[in-house]
């Protein structure tokens, strides 16, 4: 049975971390909100899954993954579930917990990226909080972005292999690829200035992008382009 992914149809957002894992593994899945409404799919079907039903509890927000009767919310939780099933996580529990910890750290990082353009309220437009966003982004570029890049560089260098957790690719490497790709879109000038300091991270990004299944996905229509509706947004005034 195919996995069912419930996420917004026009943005990469948090759902993209799950798509990358499914695509790398060659898993069969349906991206529900991007399917035709006339066939009982689409945005209405995605919203309905948040209400829960007789066999599952309601999720707070997408992404949600359904695997038969199992319904799971929260990106990191979904990847923890998929990791062993897709062969994208260590076999030993200590390794899976370490990978989960890294994914949670990336979730924190992703929130900080979002807050560069919405530092005051998610219920206000960017234009209504532009001045605050400029201040937040300046601090992010100067202090927070290098701190996260330093951390994941150290994790990669301390690994006993070419990936974050040893010699085998995991969903953490796919997620780090997505973080770097998104940052290069949102902050091209800042990332270009920082790039010479982080060759190991950029090499990992390129290595993931070149993997056959990922390369095909990136060229396909299934890969939604970065845009100014998602988490990674490019506003030149925030790049500095």
């Amino acid at each position: 049975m195919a996995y069912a992914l419930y996420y917004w149809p026009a943005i990469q957002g948090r759902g993209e971390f799950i798509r990358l894992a499914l695509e790398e593994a060659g898993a069969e899945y349906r991206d529900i909100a991007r399917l035709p409404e006339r066939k009982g799919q689409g945005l209405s079907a995605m919203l309905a899954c948040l209400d829960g039903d007789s066999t599952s509890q309601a999720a707070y927000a997408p992404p949600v993954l359904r695997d038969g009767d199992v319904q799971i919310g929260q990106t990191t939780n979904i990847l923890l579930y998929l990791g062993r099933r897709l062969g994208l996580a260590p076999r030993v529990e200590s390794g899976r917990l370490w990978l989960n910890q890294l994914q949670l750290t990336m979730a924190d990082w992703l929130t900080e990226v979002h807050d560069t353009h919405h530092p005051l309220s998610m219920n206000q437009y960017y234009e209504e909080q532009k001045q605050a966003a400029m201040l937040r982004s300046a601090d992010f570029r100067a202090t927070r972005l290098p701190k996260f890049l330093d951390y994941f560089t150290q994790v990669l260098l301390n690994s006993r292999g070419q990936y974050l957790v040893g010699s085998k690719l995991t969903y953490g490497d796919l997620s780090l690829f997505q973080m770097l790709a998104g940052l290069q879109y949102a902050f091209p000038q800042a990332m270009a200035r920082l790039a010479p300091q982080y060759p190991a991270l950029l090499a990992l990004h390129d290595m993931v992008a070149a993997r056959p299944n990922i390369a095909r996905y990136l060229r396909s229509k299934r890969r939604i382009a970065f845009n100014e509706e998602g988490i990674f947004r490019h506003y030149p005034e925030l790049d500095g």
Side-chain angles (χ1 to χ4, degrees):
M1 183 179 295
Y3 293 105
L5 174 63
Y6 298 82
Y7 197 69
W8 304 108
I11 62 172
Q12 292 184 13
R14 292 174 175 83
E16 192 66 12
F17 296 90
I18 301 159
R19 293 189 187 107
L20 285 168
L22 293 166
E23 292 283 348
E24 166 61 24
E28 185 180 355
Y29 74 98
R30 293 174 295 137
D31 208 336
I32 298 299
R34 301 179 71 189
L35 296 175
E37 293 271 355
R38 67 179 184 277
K39 295 185 178 181
Q41 309 296 316
L43 188 59
S44 59
M46 189 208 75
L47 294 174
C49 90
L50 301 180
D51 295 331
D53 55 33
S54 60
T55 62
S56 62
Q57 296 178 338
Y60 175 72
V64 172
L65 184 84
R66 180 166 284 179
D67 179 16
D69 292 334
V70 177
Q71 182 168 302
I72 312 152
Q74 294 286 356
T75 304
T76 303
N77 200 34
I78 294 169
L79 290 172
L80 179 65
Y81 177 81
L82 287 175
R84 290 184 69 185
R85 290 164 174 80
L86 300 182
L88 292 172
R91 293 182 180 180
V92 298
E93 184 179 38
S94 59
R96 293 195 300 275
L97 289 172
W98 170 233
L99 178 58
N100 187 59
Q101 180 176 320
L102 294 175
Q103 190 69 39
L104 286 165
T105 304
M106 280 187 262
D108 292 340
W109 190 5
L110 189 67
T111 296
E112 293 199 27
V113 172
H114 171 271
D115 289 350
T116 61
H117 52 76
H118 276 73
L120 301 180
S121 172
M122 292 182 65
N123 296 317
Q124 293 180 348
Y125 290 109
Y126 163 68
E127 289 74 16
E128 298 177 273
Q129 49 192 314
K130 187 173 178 179
Q131 290 303 118
M134 292 177 69
L135 291 173
R136 184 65 173 264
S137 294
D139 179 71
F140 177 79
R141 296 192 313 269
T143 64
R144 302 301 295 166
L145 178 55
K147 187 170 184 177
F148 280 107
L149 294 173
D150 286 345
Y151 174 73
F152 280 99
T153 293
Q154 195 59 51
V155 170
L156 189 57
L157 295 178
N158 288 344
S159 172
R160 295 182 179 180
Q162 59 186 330
Y163 298 109
L164 285 174
V165 186
S167 60
K168 186 178 179 182
L169 178 129
T170 67
Y171 63 76
D173 301 293
L174 299 169
S175 293
L176 184 54
F177 160 81
Q178 176 66 8
M179 290 298 306
L180 295 170
L183 288 164
Q184 289 170 341
Y185 172 80
F187 300 100
Q189 294 183 54
M191 288 296 288
R193 287 194 300 269
L194 289 166
Q197 303 175 45
Y198 301 102
L201 291 183
L202 297 180
L204 176 65
H205 168 279
D206 294 346
M207 190 161 51
V208 170
R211 292 180 69 85
N213 285 356
I214 296 298
R216 280 192 292 270
Y217 172 60
L218 297 178
R219 293 192 301 265
S220 75
K221 293 182 179 180
R222 297 190 303 280
R223 171 76 163 181
I224 301 169
F226 288 110
N227 58 61
E228 277 54 69
E229 300 297 323
I231 295 175
F232 294 103
R233 303 186 186 188
H234 176 56
Y235 297 119
E237 62 272 19
L238 302 187
D239 195 6

